Amino acid sequence: MINIKNFTDFNSKELFFRFPLVFLFMFSCFILAIFEINEIFFLEKSFQGKLFLSSFSLIGFCLGIYLFFQRKQLDKIKKVLFFFVAFLTTYLGIFLYEDSVLYLIFAAFLTITFSNFLAVKSSNQSILSFNMKMNYSLAFAFFSSLILALGIKMIFLTLNYLFSITFFDKFIDEMMVFISIIVFPTLFLANIPKNIDPFIQTLELKKAVELLIKNILTPLILIYTVILYAYFIKIIILQELPQGDLSWIICTFLSLVILVKAFLKSISKQTVFTNIIDKYFVYIMILPIIFLDIAIYARVSEYGVTQLRYCLILLSIWFTFLIVLELVQKQFCIKSSLISMFLLLLVASITPLSSSNISLNSQFNRFKTFILQYENQELKKQFDLKELKLEKKVELTSIINYLSRSKKGMKLLNNYFNKEFKTKSEIFKFINMKESYSSFSNLRSKYIQGFELYNISYDSKGYTNVLPLMISEQDEKKEYIVNNSKLKAVLKDSVLNLELNNSSVSFDLKDIVNKWSKKGIKRIDSSNYKEAVFIKENNNISYKLNLQFLDINTKEQTFKVSYINAILMIKK
């Protein structure tokens, strides 16, 4: 359980010297986050963002290494080598395989779950006991930080309401970041035990946890097993391919089976249901994994590998490894399960077999196979796809959209065409084809197909206030502080209404979209962004609305704007 005294009486100096590099990267993350909030960029924006991700990942890696050092005495050179490998792994993953960064972050923090047990003989119960204590500590730190954040927010709101003091509102974002990046991790670190020997003993589950596993999760898993096996029999009899989302259903099911299996030996009194899962664990998993592989193969062979399908492939490999391990060792090993997942995540994040490399190469090969069918044989690299069938246009659009989302994907397309395209719209123009979407997936494409306004510098000369607007029609009313006054913003019936003091203006977004349609504008980007800038005045107050995104819902012959993202500038 949680030792509250650890939180209230811990020596901050002692804690810092126990995990010095962890605190160093925590403060690094905090500073970089503050820079991001205030749009302070001493370095290139993307480079500064990568430094933040690197520092965040190294928090996990360094904590895992320190926990390992608690059990394994090494000389200084070997310790430095461990940290050097962690730094190299992190920066290699972030800067060379940035599209696979989630796998790297997951791998970094997964080390905390097993690094303390690498140098010692350990049972499933000891690892479970340690990780449950970490989960209790994590939950305590999270709710403590949440209560602190809400308390500070309430204090600021009260000061504003009772005394009209708004000075502190300027620092609310910075304080929330400080609580998230400094306070929350510190509370967690304060309850990490120095000695794991007590965890070598048999784990005694709390009655609530045992009840959850024995009487709720176990019966549900068995019911789910019956349903899945019935569906597998149906597939075999009818000779049909599995449905598209079956892969995720199976992965969720297998993950729950593994979770329950990990706890079974710690349950004091076994039931018929727990005995079935414990005894037939391997056999329960085999058939679902086979159909998982079939479902993955069917989707990949038709649509290629994407980041999501790569994740499914990774999980399938992990599930298969666990089955083989169980058959060989005749027992389930939590440590091996965690280490194998960690290694797979590293493969997915910092090797040539990374998720970004595999998925981009797969989609690019699919693109080449598709586009070569329509290449002009006399004029190489010349295309005219106007007369292509709709379903083919939709397929090609999805491929180009996927590749153009990343720098590597766009580079592959530029190398193929021997061009220097900046946006995907230039690619579609070059191959003489309009972006196409099925009527079910993108109804708004009839009016406008997208916004690419990420790097636009808007002219704010003369305007004293600049603020972001993000409003949904589901919001009754949004309020913004402008020079100690409240700006009220409402989106209703596709009309944006703004009211400041006694001045009010309205922007008819539906009329704007219709005008774009009449002009043939299908995309708002750097070449025509002024078409999305509108100025209105009322009572000596000027409002300049710079539209960045509209969510358009189309039904039959009409439509409505349900969400707006814009930059509003105001001058009096």
Side-chain angles (χ1 to χ4, degrees):
M1 279 297 293
I2 304 171
N3 186 353
I4 303 296
K5 191 175 181 180
N6 287 356
F7 290 104
T8 56
D9 297 340
F10 73 87
N11 187 319
S12 57
K13 184 176 180 181
E14 179 186 348
L15 187 63
F16 176 82
F17 283 107
R18 186 182 173 196
F19 306 114
L21 285 178
V22 175
F23 279 96
L24 175 65
F25 289 114
M26 282 165 51
F27 281 108
S28 175
C29 280
F30 171 68
I31 293 170
L32 290 169
I34 295 300
F35 285 169
E36 178 71 25
I37 290 174
N38 294 283
E39 297 187 351
I40 300 172
F41 302 107
F42 293 108
L43 304 169
E44 186 183 355
K45 185 176 181 179
S46 61
F47 185 83
Q48 203 161 293
K50 290 177 181 179
L51 287 179
F52 174 83
L53 291 173
S54 300
S55 298
F56 185 71
S57 300
L58 283 168
I59 292 173
F61 276 126
C62 289
L63 180 54
I65 292 172
Y66 281 126
L67 292 177
F68 174 70
F69 289 163
Q70 286 187 173
R71 301 296 297 178
K72 187 72 173 178
Q73 298 299 321
L74 299 174
D75 57 51
K76 290 184 178 180
I77 295 178
K78 290 181 179 178
K79 287 183 177 181
V80 170
L81 185 61
F82 265 92
F83 286 113
F84 175 76
V85 171
F87 295 166
L88 183 64
T89 299
T90 300
Y91 291 114
L92 179 67
I94 299 294
F95 285 88
L96 294 185
Y97 302 100
E98 57 183 308
D99 293 334
S100 303
V101 65
L102 287 178
Y103 293 99
L104 182 66
I105 292 173
F106 190 19
F109 287 91
L110 188 63
T111 59
I112 302 171
T113 63
F114 63 84
S115 59
N116 220 337
F117 298 88
L118 286 176
V120 296
K121 289 185 178 181
S122 55
S123 63
N124 286 344
Q125 285 78 11
S126 61
I127 297 177
L128 271 178
S129 181
F130 175 80
N131 281 288
M132 286 190 70
K133 181 175 178 62
M134 292 299 96
N135 285 330
Y136 291 145
S137 176
L138 191 68
F140 186 91
F142 173 78
F143 285 109
S144 298
S145 301
L146 180 63
I147 291 169
L148 176 62
L150 291 175
I152 291 174
K153 181 68 175 177
M154 288 300 297
I155 289 172
F156 287 175
L157 289 174
T158 303
L159 287 173
N160 187 6
Y161 183 76
L162 297 179
F163 304 102
S164 299
I165 298 175
T166 60
F167 173 77
F168 297 106
D169 292 345
K170 301 176 183 178
F171 308 103
I172 188 66
D173 290 339
E174 286 81 355
M175 295 195 72
M176 294 303 108
V177 170
F178 180 79
I179 292 171
S180 302
I181 298 179
I182 303 297
V183 176
F184 167 60
T186 302
L187 290 174
F188 172 71
L189 293 172
N191 205 46
I192 294 179
K194 296 181 179 180
N195 182 15
I196 67 168
D197 288 336
F199 301 107
I200 305 301
Q201 307 300 322
T202 302
L203 170 66
E204 293 184 5
L205 292 176
K206 296 297 177 182
K207 288 184 178 180
V209 178
E210 188 168 320
L211 176 67
L212 174 65
I213 294 169
K214 186 166 60 175
N215 297 335
I216 298 177
L217 286 180
T218 304
L220 286 176
I221 285 173
L222 291 177
I223 294 171
Y224 217 92
T225 302
V226 173
I227 294 172
L228 281 178
Y229 272 71
Y231 180 68
F232 297 153
I233 294 171
K234 174 190 170 185
I235 290 176
I236 294 171
I237 294 174
L238 299 180
Q239 296 291 301
E240 61 181 21
L241 288 174
Q243 294 187 18
D245 292 332
L246 178 65
S247 301
W248 293 109
I249 294 173
I250 292 176
C251 286
T252 303
F253 166 74
L254 292 175
S255 299
L256 282 174
V257 173
I258 293 168
L259 176 66
V260 170
K261 173 67 175 177
F263 280 95
L264 286 182
K265 295 297 183 183
S266 303
I267 293 177
S268 56
K269 293 182 180 180
Q270 300 288 335
T271 65
V272 175
F273 296 145
T274 57
N275 283 330
I276 290 174
I277 291 183
D278 193 25
K279 187 175 181 180
Y280 300 105
F281 168 72
V282 173
Y283 306 103
I284 289 175
M285 292 184 67
I286 288 177
L287 197 56
I289 289 178
I290 292 173
F291 277 91
L292 172 62
D293 292 338
I294 293 172
I296 293 173
Y297 175 78
R299 302 296 288 180
V300 169
S301 60
E302 188 172 0
Y303 302 110
V305 179
T306 61
Q307 289 277 13
L308 286 176
R309 290 180 197 125
Y310 185 95
C311 181
L312 288 171
I313 294 170
L314 202 72
L315 287 171
S316 177
I317 294 172
W318 187 55
F319 294 143
T320 304
F321 170 78
L322 294 185
I323 286 182
V324 173
L325 190 68
E326 173 90 0
L327 290 172
V328 173
Q329 294 186 347
K330 304 299 182 183
Q331 62 178 358
F332 181 73
C333 180
I334 294 178
K335 185 196 292 188
S336 299
S337 303
L338 294 172
I339 294 174
S340 60
M341 174 55 77
F342 170 75
L343 294 175
L344 285 172
L345 290 170
L346 287 185
V347 170
S349 56
I350 61 168
T351 71
L353 296 176
S354 69
S355 62
S356 60
N357 277 0
I358 296 296
S359 59
L360 286 175
N361 288 332
S362 174
Q363 292 300 317
F364 182 61
N365 289 332
R366 185 176 164 219
F367 168 79
K368 288 192 296 183
T369 302
F370 187 102
I371 202 76
L372 282 173
Q373 302 174 51
Y374 306 97
E375 185 178 43
N376 189 314
Q377 297 301 315
E378 296 180 0
L379 301 172
K380 297 295 183 182
K381 304 299 181 186
Q382 295 294 315
F383 307 92
D384 190 352
L385 307 179
K386 290 181 181 178
E387 305 303 322
L388 204 62
K389 291 182 179 180
L390 177 60
E391 58 268 23
K392 292 293 184 181
K393 286 184 178 181
V394 170
E395 182 181 354
L396 184 56
T397 297
S398 69
I399 299 173
I400 294 176
N401 283 345
Y402 187 90
L403 291 170
S404 61
R405 280 200 295 262
S406 68
K407 292 180 180 179
K408 288 183 179 179
M410 185 62 82
K411 185 178 180 180
L412 289 171
L413 292 171
N414 282 333
N415 289 341
Y416 180 79
F417 290 115
N418 196 22
K419 298 287 184 179
E420 291 295 330
F421 298 126
K422 300 297 183 184
T423 63
K424 63 180 179 181
S425 57
E426 296 176 16
I427 299 173
F428 285 107
K429 184 177 181 181
F430 179 76
I431 62 177
N432 293 310
M433 192 193 92
K434 292 183 178 181
E435 289 184 63
S436 300
Y437 302 89
S438 67
S439 57
F440 299 102
S441 64
N442 200 338
L443 293 171
R444 73 171 180 262
S445 63
K446 175 181 177 182
Y447 297 96
I448 189 162
Q449 297 174 359
F451 295 79
E452 294 182 2
L453 299 171
Y454 306 110
N455 298 312
I456 301 299
S457 297
Y458 294 103
D459 183 10
S460 60
K461 185 177 181 180
Y463 289 88
T464 55
N465 298 91
V466 179
L467 57 139
L469 288 181
M470 290 176 284
I471 306 172
S472 168
E473 65 176 356
Q474 297 178 352
D475 301 325
E476 292 186 4
K477 178 174 64 177
K478 279 204 169 184
E479 295 184 349
Y480 302 84
I481 302 299
V482 178
N483 294 337
N484 296 324
S485 300
K486 290 184 178 180
L487 169 71
K488 299 177 182 178
V490 178
L491 177 61
K492 186 177 181 181
D493 298 328
S494 301
V495 176
L496 175 64
N497 298 297
L498 303 174
E499 182 180 345
L500 179 62
N501 298 333
N502 295 319
S503 169
S504 62
V505 295
S506 298
F507 294 89
D508 190 335
L509 304 176
K510 191 171 183 178
D511 182 58
I512 290 172
V513 173
N514 279 322
K515 287 181 179 178
W516 286 342
S517 181
K518 289 178 181 178
K519 292 181 180 180
I521 297 174
K522 295 296 183 181
R523 181 170 299 280
I524 301 294
D525 54 28
S526 59
S527 64
N528 62 353
Y529 74 95
K530 291 184 179 180
E531 295 284 350
V533 178
F534 305 91
I535 300 176
K536 287 192 176 185
E537 293 186 6
N538 184 267
N539 287 350
N540 297 322
I541 299 180
S542 177
Y543 302 83
K544 184 177 181 180
L545 184 69
N546 306 276
L547 294 176
Q548 291 193 307
F549 177 78
L550 297 177
D551 191 4
I552 302 170
N553 296 326
T554 308
K555 186 176 182 181
E556 296 178 354
Q557 299 301 315
T558 186
F559 71 93
K560 67 176 181 178
V561 178
S562 59
Y563 175 82
I564 174 177
N565 188 345
I567 295 176
L568 179 64
M569 302 177 183
I570 300 174
K571 67 178 177 180
K572 297 182 179 181

